[in-house]
Amino acid sequence: MKINPNEIFKEYENGVNFKASIGTRGLYEQNKINERFFIGDQWHGANCGNERPLVRHNIIKRIGDFKMSKVLASPISVRFSADGIPNTIGIQKKLTKGLSPQNLEFFNSKADNDEINLVMSALGKYQKVTAERVGLNSLCSELLRNAYIGGTGVLYTYWDSSVKTGLYADGLENTAITGDICCEVLKLENVYFGDPTLNSVQEQPYIIIAAMQNLDAVLKEARASGATEYDLKRIESDSENGKILVLTKLYKQRSINGEITVKCIKVSEQAVIRAAFDTALHLYPIAIFNWESRSDRIYGESEVTYLIPNQIAINRMITAQVWASMITGMPMMVVNGDTVSGELTNDPGQIIKIYGSNEDVAGAVKYVTPPDFSSNFGQSIENLIKNTLTQSGANEAVLGDSRPDNATAIITLQRAATMPIQLVKNRFYAFVEDFSRIWVDFWITKYGNRKIKIEDENGIWYMPFNAERYKNLIVTARVDVGEDTTYSAAETVNTLTSLYEKGIITKRQYLKRLPSGIIPDITELILESEEEDNDNDGE
């Protein structure tokens, strides 16, 4: 099927028009405003001049930073399973010793259920290895920030054939195995869904990724893909100042054997940069996280959009209060120029020469008494700030501003106050499951026959992985969420301290079980404690 670049460009323009129609300002303009308010540029375009201080009390960033940190606070892990393959507790116990470098007899000529379950367990460990390699923590932080400001965060997974794995296809180490998945956080403004009213990514008729790229790099890719001189000239004609808009279109198509896979094509406005090719993937390599979901469109809603009016009111009120305080403390001076001949500096202790009668002296200099400033104004500001934080789920308890009697009370209050954030967390965990399934699709499709890196209690070792054996599996992903590290650390320390004070555990047991990072150089402290105990035993 031949695809016309102009048709793809029209689809792109339709996506642009839809985004521009969202809300009162359109997605592009609203996201720019939200970005400015988040970073603190909150008087942009107000035209208030420089005569008075323009105060900013940035509650938007405080709420956002708090919520983003809470979403990432709980450690998570991913478990994989294959649909149709039983995996009972008894089977899991049987396979407990199977996943080790010393015991790999499960890998026979044909993949049986035991091997499949073993591989699924291994992929859960390999997911952590891959997450560390691609810098997933930093990517998720960037994605959450995009979602909080713009409503939606987008993670794009792609295959980079230049990635070195350190593995070899032969025992002589002559044929290096290269290529692995990489991830990138895309700006929402550059991703366009074929049917934006459809919430599911995988059910989209197509997805277009727009990017401004260097012309030289695009021409190089086009030549490598077999572009003709005519195509190259049309590509050059689409460029401006050495840059060119490249549209990457992903769409699903059924092959002759009935298998549905993802196809990809790259175009400029008038030319094909890379002809349509089969990625062999079964899932679109894009996962999204919506800060607040909408039932009528795939693009999420930003909390910042609806906090801006409160933020403006708070800034204006505080600015008015500061200006009133300055006027009261440094009131305006009215000077009779007929009787005061010298220059006034308003410096303390200045001697002013006045010529004339006593009446002239009395009326030479006066201060303008400003009107009384309402004593309730400051309380109104505090109430507005407090109510805004509370309605946003970021009240005094969760922000650490309250003063309960003990740590248990703090934890209880914080847990109760952070319950609304659980919905945001659940959407984030669903997003993790989505991109984890995409990673499995890449592993099974692209890896071929290679070993995968495992890090566990056995150390670092490599397990055989022949992707061809698992290509027909339907793999699902499930996120396991640990305790919030903020809460668990405090609870652990309190519990350990209580056990130690009651003599239930020793000093060595106490130190070994403290959360990591609580005490610097704790290993050295444990060794010193053991040496001290040995010396005391010797005496």
Side-chain angles (χ1 to χ4, degrees), residues 39-43 54-58 311 314-315 318-319:
I39 64 176
D41 184 13
Q42 298 173 344
W43 288 93
L54 302 177
V55 182
R56 288 166 292 183
H57 185 88
N58 198 345
Q311 181 69 70
I314 290 169
N315 289 348
I318 296 178
T319 298

Side-chain angles (χ1 to χ4, degrees), residues 384-499:
L384 179 57
I385 294 174
K386 183 177 180 180
N387 289 337
T388 303
L389 292 173
T390 300
Q391 293 299 319
S392 300
N395 58 24
E396 293 180 347
V398 298
L399 293 175
D401 295 338
S402 61
R403 297 183 178 179
D405 296 333
N406 52 61
T408 302
I410 294 175
I411 294 171
T412 302
L413 283 174
Q414 288 182 337
R415 280 183 169 165
T418 54
M419 286 303 293
I421 306 176
Q422 188 60 47
L423 297 177
V424 181
K425 287 185 173 183
N426 290 345
R427 287 191 288 273
F428 179 74
Y429 301 149
F431 156 76
V432 174
E433 292 176 348
D434 287 343
F435 76 71
S436 295
R437 284 190 290 268
I438 292 171
W439 287 8
V440 173
D441 194 15
F442 271 92
W443 296 334
I444 293 178
T445 302
K446 302 289 189 180
Y447 266 23
N449 191 355
R450 67 166 71 177
K451 294 181 178 180
I452 59 175
K453 183 179 180 181
I454 306 294
E455 292 186 28
D456 57 14
E457 62 278 1
N458 297 303
I460 299 176
W461 55 285
Y462 290 82
M463 189 191 78
F465 181 79
N466 188 348
E468 182 68 20
R469 298 159 71 92
Y470 319 113
K471 65 178 183 179
N472 295 322
L473 296 178
I474 301 175
V475 180
T476 58
R478 176 180 175 181
V479 167
D480 290 331
V481 184
E483 280 290 326
D484 188 317
T485 54
T486 305
Y487 301 143
S488 61
E491 290 177 319
T492 300
V493 171
N494 289 338
T495 303
L496 288 173
T497 301
S498 177
L499 293 173

